[in-house]
Amino acid sequence: MSKKELSITYDKQSSTLTIDGPIDEQCGPILLPFIEEIKGPCTINLSKVDSINSLGAMAWVRFLTLLLHKTQVTFVECSVDFVAQTNMIVSFQGSAAIESAYGQFFCNNCYHDEVKLYRLNELVANLTTIDKLQEETHVCSKCGDSMTLGDDSLIFLTRMIQTSKKIKKVS
């Protein structure tokens, strides 16, 4: 089986960079040219990031640091793998805003997992708390049992809600 290669597209009209595939040791030379191409605030769609290794994380932080010195960045549809990295590496998100991220749910009966897209503004508007997130369940599409939100997703979403509330209080 061949390894999936990283694919990056940039839509100049919407100023959206879409990343598809692994963020690994090959991504640095692929990402860096986009710093010059991006001219203003941009959105980075991370829904198809499917794995991240340590060399990829280093290249990503370098790319993001350079890009953030140039413009504002907003992440959308952060994949489960991206969410896990932001929990481990503070500079993985930098000062980029996060609009939406996938939360991963697990079934304790059949071990199936599923994802749900969360929009940060909706979580904040609904005054979502960590308790509400912990209590949230979904029905497993495989066995019908209840699924619970995974720890990485819970930590990430809670941090995003708390950060958003702090920003709103200061404003």
Side-chain angles (χ1 to χ4, degrees), residues 127-145:
L127 302 173
T128 304
T129 63
I130 188 169
D131 293 333
K132 285 183 184 178
L133 285 172
Q134 285 175 318
E135 293 168 5
E136 185 173 351
T137 60
H138 291 281
V139 175
C140 179
S141 63
K142 288 216 172 182
C143 74
D145 207 2

Side-chain angles (χ1 to χ4, degrees), residues 88-109:
M88 294 186 282
I89 303 171
V90 175
S91 57
F92 207 74
Q93 176 187 344
S95 62
I98 294 184
E99 185 178 298
S100 57
Y102 286 95
Q104 188 171 29
F105 284 81
F106 295 97
C107 178
N108 290 326
N109 184 46

Side-chain angles (χ1 to χ4, degrees), residues 1 13 18 29 31 57 60 76-77 79 98 110 113 117-118 120 125-126 130 138 146 148 161 167 170:
M1 186 169 101
Q13 191 170 10
T18 301
L31 284 169
W60 172 261
V76 297
E77 297 186 42
S79 72
I98 294 184
C110 72
D113 66 289
L117 184 63
Y118 285 92
L120 183 59
N126 294 329
I130 188 169
H138 291 281
S146 66
T148 55
I161 292 166
I167 291 169
V170 173

Side-chain angles (χ1 to χ4, degrees), residues 11 17 20 38 54 60-61 64-67 72-73 75 91 95-96 98-99 113 125 128-129 139 143 146 159-160 170:
D11 180 340
L17 190 71
D20 182 357
I38 296 169
S54 58
W60 172 261
V61 169
L64 185 61
T65 300
L66 293 169
L67 186 59
Q72 293 176 324
V73 176
F75 296 148
S91 57
S95 62
I98 294 184
E99 185 178 298
D113 66 289
T128 304
T129 63
V139 175
C143 74
S146 66
R159 184 168 43 87
M160 292 300 95
V170 173

Side-chain angles (χ1 to χ4, degrees), residues 7-156:
S7 169
I8 301 175
T9 56
Y10 180 61
D11 180 340
K12 290 181 182 178
Q13 191 170 10
S14 65
S15 192
T16 300
L17 190 71
T18 301
I19 300 175
D20 182 357
I23 295 178
D24 60 16
E25 59 279 357
Q26 306 297 317
C27 76
I30 299 169
L31 284 169
L32 290 176
F34 287 99
I35 293 171
E36 292 303 317
E37 194 169 343
I38 296 169
K39 300 298 181 197
C42 79
T43 300
I44 301 178
N45 185 311
L46 299 157
S47 64
K48 295 180 181 176
V49 171
D50 56 12
S51 65
I52 302 163
N53 70 20
S54 58
L55 293 173
M58 288 174 27
W60 172 261
V61 169
R62 181 173 179 230
F63 162 75
L64 185 61
T65 300
L66 293 169
L67 186 59
L68 285 168
H69 277 90
K70 180 179 176 181
T71 191
Q72 293 176 324
V73 176
T74 301
F75 296 148
V76 297
E77 297 186 42
C78 299
S79 72
V80 171
D81 289 294
F82 191 86
V83 165
Q85 284 295 317
T86 61
N87 286 342
M88 294 186 282
I89 303 171
V90 175
S91 57
F92 207 74
Q93 176 187 344
S95 62
I98 294 184
E99 185 178 298
S100 57
Y102 286 95
Q104 188 171 29
F105 284 81
F106 295 97
C107 178
N108 290 326
N109 184 46
C110 72
Y111 306 107
H112 176 65
D113 66 289
E114 297 177 9
V115 296
K116 173 187 174 185
L117 184 63
Y118 285 92
R119 300 197 184 286
L120 183 59
N121 62 346
E122 291 172 6
L123 290 174
V124 172
N126 294 329
L127 302 173
T128 304
T129 63
I130 188 169
D131 293 333
K132 285 183 184 178
L133 285 172
Q134 285 175 318
E135 293 168 5
E136 185 173 351
T137 60
H138 291 281
V139 175
C140 179
S141 63
K142 288 216 172 182
C143 74
D145 207 2
S146 66
M147 303 179 84
T148 55
L149 189 61
D151 289 343
D152 275 341
S153 298
L154 181 64
I155 291 165
F156 177 81

